[in-house]
Amino acid sequence: MAITVVGSVAYDTIETPAGRKDRCLGGAATYFSLAASFFTDVRVIAVVGEDFGPEQEAVFLAHNIDTRGIERAPGKSFFWEGSYLENLNEARTRNTELNVFAAFEPKIPEAYRDSEFLFLANIDPVLQRRVRDQMPGVKLVAGDTMNYWIKDHRPALLEVLTGVDVLLINDTEARMLAANNNLVQAARAILALGPRILIVKHGEYGATAFFSFHSFAPKGESAEHPFRAPALPLEEVVDPTGAGDSFAGGFFGYLASQSALTPSVFRRAMFYGSVMGSFACERFGTERLQALTRKEIDDRFLLFRELTHLD
Amino acid sequence: MAITVVGSVAYDTIETPAGRKDRCLGGAATYFSLAASFFTDVRVIAVVGEDFGPEQEAVFLAHNIDTRGIERAPGKSFFWEGSYLENLNEARTRNTELNVFAAFEPKIPEAYRDSEFLFLANIDPVLQRRVRDQMPGVKLVAGDTMNYWIKDHRPALLEVLTGVDVLLINDTEARMLAANNNLVQAARAILALGPRILIVKHGEYGATAFFSFHSFAPKGESAEHPFRAPALPLEEVVDPTGAGDSFAGGFFGYLASQSALTPSVFRRAMFYGSVMGSFACERFGTERLQALTRKEIDDRFLLFRELTHLD
């Protein structure tokens, strides 16, 4: 089943202990699409500037990603510059230029409307809501957000959450959204805001899924038991940019590729999320995702299983 | 098979967001012994003062722990006071009084000498070494240490490491010991110092075992692949004191209870370590370990399996 994703397609300048890369193709929707494309059909809604040409579009087309929803606008694409020199786990933003994104009005191509899965990548919750409302027929909606929206755009974000089935955020964001430092209590508070499933991403320690009572995922009375997927302890983290979006792409892409959302499918989706997040860190920008093969993905899936399973 | 453990038996005054407790029975050897006692015979080597009476000894005896190696000395027992008010993951030490521990000369009772397993809890590496040297016949030696010894007693610590099979330390300690912030690289550097296995404890995120090539644990060519055991996301952490020592007790106790050290036994031992660590946090001091049953332990083991396994 096809996924429509709305989010940023951007250029990133990134500095990490491994080096520096100027103007890599990036953005949440780019990482998400590439990661999800290994599992299912992906359709992107975004806006880019005149600096986005055939060479960039070819990256999407090479992975069979539908780009008809990528709008061209006069001016430059969204630009972000960040450094991981002090802390590999958290970027220090040096510069953000919204550019064409400042006036973004997401339009959904007719050909996207039969998508059964919708992913709202980290953008203004007002835009997330607008896209959500235009796709009432989707079967499953997942979304991401960030500190900035949680702190300064809370009412709009809370409205979005009522229409999201699966929320994927990191530890800091979960604690901030719930105003509670205990993760289990924070998860319960967030599940009361709308999502049926909360996935908290722990970076190098993996991710934990928490379920509300009415969730489809776990069986019967264990509905409130969380599930934890591992992350791989990496020998060398070249660039953690986009790891969370790649997790979301692997997770949601695998879900969309399956015919039923059983507990077992959900667990595998979490593992595939971790797998795609770990690949994303291995090279700058989307380089590793671009070069990846399904065989490498499945091999790492087995490695993660071996890493965590008793037998 | 019996485990001999050398370490502190102490009194702790602890303040956490859940409250405050004065002079709980604590110390690394106490937590370790109680946790390991659910799996195998445990023998303690420690020194206590005149404030350690029959009531405290009864805690050990109720768990069949051999206390003949607990020496009584004039004066007061080791005392520690710490607070977790700012950070539940790391104690701020308010006061440490070595008391009788200052002149501790570990003596090994004759009845302990046939122990096949030895655990060197976190004490002065000079004392760890002295105990290690007096028990040349042990089959497996595990040990713990802390920042203070890594920073200021490095040569003595490095000597101990040459005689330790399994080193259990936390993330910060591993990075400090190896002077390398990348955990995989740090692990490799530490394994070159002597231990065949390094277990890095991640607190609420579980623990990762790294193996040297000659390790018994994993099969064949996967000898360098790590193994990760989960920790339970806890609704309420009352007091994290002793969680690491309880992990060590569950891990080593289970190993000692098995007839062979297969990869499967090793993995189960890691899970039992996590199980015991998670119980330790649920009440102040050793209260939860004292009240625990083997049935509760095995139920949580299954919960951890369910938390992390695909099927």
Side-chain angles (χ1 to χ4, degrees), chain A residues 24 51 82 85 96 105 108 125 127 210 214 236 295 300:
Chain A
C24 312
D51 48 6
L85 290 183
T96 303
E105 283 289 343
I108 298 162
L127 300 182
F210 296 91
H214 304 295
E236 192 185 15
K295 164 107 176 53
R300 185 157 296 179

Side-chain angles (χ1 to χ4, degrees), chain A residues 194-232:
Chain A
R196 291 186 290 153
I197 300 180
L198 169 70
I199 296 179
V200 182
K201 295 172 284 182
H202 310 306
E204 63 180 310
Y205 299 120
T208 307
F210 296 91
F211 309 95
S212 75
F213 274 117
H214 304 295
S215 155
F216 54 76
K219 17 184 156 136
E221 74 276 79
S222 69
E224 264 205 323
H225 289 159
F227 177 68
R228 180 166 286 178
L232 186 71

Side-chain angles (χ1 to χ4, degrees), chain A residues 136-152:
Chain A
V138 291
K139 190 168 144 184
L140 200 70
V141 182
D144 190 4
T145 190
M146 70 181 287
N147 294 359
Y148 174 70
W149 311 114
I150 295 172
K151 267 195 296 194
D152 298 335

Side-chain angles (χ1 to χ4, degrees), chain B residues 149-310:
Chain B
W149 310 114
I150 296 171
K151 268 195 297 195
D152 298 335
H153 294 75
R154 198 178 177 86
L157 179 61
L158 293 182
E159 270 195 54
V160 170
L161 292 184
T162 63
V164 164
D165 299 299
V166 187
L167 179 66
L168 298 101
I169 51 182
N170 69 30
D171 282 273
T172 313
E173 290 155 358
R175 293 183 160 107
M176 184 184 283
L177 178 55
N180 189 325
N181 272 326
N182 180 284
L183 195 60
V184 180
Q185 293 170 12
R188 185 171 305 137
I190 292 168
L191 292 171
L193 300 174
R196 291 188 288 152
I197 300 178
L198 169 69
I199 297 178
V200 182
K201 296 171 283 181
H202 311 305
E204 62 180 313
Y205 299 119
T208 307
F210 296 92
F211 309 95
S212 75
F213 275 118
H214 305 296
S215 156
F216 52 76
K219 21 186 154 137
E221 74 275 78
S222 70
E224 265 205 322
H225 288 161
F227 177 68
R228 180 164 286 177
L232 185 70
L234 285 172
E235 170 85 37
E236 191 184 17
V237 175
V238 172
D239 171 19
T241 308
D245 303 312
S246 304
F247 180 102
F251 165 78
F252 217 44
Y254 180 77
L255 277 194
S257 75
Q258 300 298 302
S259 56
L261 290 173
T262 65
S264 163
V265 163
F266 184 87
R267 287 170 172 238
R268 281 177 163 67
M270 290 277 290
F271 266 58
Y272 276 113
S274 272
V275 163
M276 300 310 286
S278 81
F279 277 123
C281 299
E282 291 185 348
R283 292 199 215 147
F284 274 101
T286 58
E287 279 174 29
R288 188 70 183 92
L289 295 185
Q290 287 185 44
L292 208 53
T293 66
R294 180 64 196 248
K295 165 102 175 56
E296 288 176 308
I297 293 170
D298 289 329
D299 285 350
R300 184 157 298 178
F301 180 93
L302 293 176
L303 187 68
F304 274 31
R305 187 194 179 96
E306 174 74 10
L307 175 74
T308 51
H309 280 49
L310 287 165

Side-chain angles (χ1 to χ4, degrees), chain A residues 127-181:
Chain A
L127 300 182
Q128 291 181 317
R129 177 69 188 278
R130 216 167 284 165
V131 172
R132 172 72 185 91
D133 287 348
Q134 287 179 71
M135 299 191 71
V138 291
K139 190 168 144 184
L140 200 70
V141 182
D144 190 4
T145 190
M146 70 181 287
N147 294 359
Y148 174 70
W149 311 114
I150 295 172
K151 267 195 296 194
D152 298 335
H153 294 72
R154 198 176 178 87
L157 179 62
L158 293 182
E159 269 193 54
V160 170
L161 292 184
T162 62
V164 164
D165 299 299
V166 187
L167 179 67
L168 297 102
I169 50 182
N170 70 29
D171 281 273
T172 313
E173 290 155 356
R175 293 183 161 106
M176 184 184 284
L177 178 55
N180 190 326
N181 271 326

